Amino acid sequence: QVQLVESGGGSVQAGGSLRLDCTASGYTWNKNYCIAWFRQAPGKARERVASINFRGGVTRYSDSVKGRFTIYQDSAKKTVYLQMNSLKVDDAGKYSCAAATYSGGRCWEYDYDYWGQGTQVTVSS
């Protein structure tokens, strides 16, 4: 059973930066996983923001964050990061990381099985 814990959320002014951390435990060491970040603002549908193949490092981003956000991993620390730069008011919401066992194809298209509790990001104008 994979457990995920997010950290790093907070409040920032528009144009600022935040880094979110997603630390994993309980996973099977010889398996590969997809990790993705999602966000949800009040009254809006959950949005897939970024994904990464944990071993291969292949990444993908939503059009709304491309060029501003970077997802990357540190295998030794069992952590996936989401570096968020040039934040906009529309980037605010609850950010959650999720994991799925990789079995081929593109991580961006996966249904995710394991979820963290989420961390709040507030962006003020």
Side-chain angles (χ1 to χ4, degrees):
Q1 183 81 5
V2 177
Q3 291 93 42
L4 303 170
V5 178
E6 302 97 333
S7 61
S11 298
V12 66
Q13 285 193 321
S17 298
L18 282 174
R19 192 191 77 185
L20 306 182
D21 298 0
C22 173
T23 302
S25 62
Y27 60 88
T28 303
W29 68 272
N30 61 346
K31 289 184 177 179
N32 190 16
Y33 293 87
C34 294
I35 306 292
W37 284 97
F38 293 78
R39 69 185 181 190
Q40 187 166 23
K44 293 187 177 181
R46 187 169 63 196
E47 177 187 9
R48 192 174 309 217
V49 173
S51 67
I52 188 167
N53 179 305
F54 198 77
R55 284 189 182 172
V58 176
T59 61
R60 182 169 170 175
Y61 303 90
S62 67
D63 288 342
S64 61
V65 307
K66 198 174 296 181
R68 300 186 297 120
F69 290 13
T70 303
I71 186 172
Y72 60 100
Q73 83 278 32
D74 184 330
S75 300
K77 295 183 178 180
K78 303 173 187 177
T79 299
V80 171
Y81 304 94
L82 185 68
Q83 177 65 45
M84 306 186 295
N85 299 328
S86 302
L87 282 161
K88 304 176 181 179
V89 172
D90 287 347
D91 292 321
K94 184 177 181 180
Y95 282 70
S96 301
C97 66
T101 304
Y102 183 69
S103 57
R106 301 173 182 176
C107 286
W108 184 258
E109 297 169 352
Y110 271 52
D111 292 326
Y112 285 79
D113 305 305
Y114 308 103
W115 292 81
Q117 82 287 352
T119 185
Q120 193 68 34
V121 171
T122 303
V123 184
S124 58
S125 58

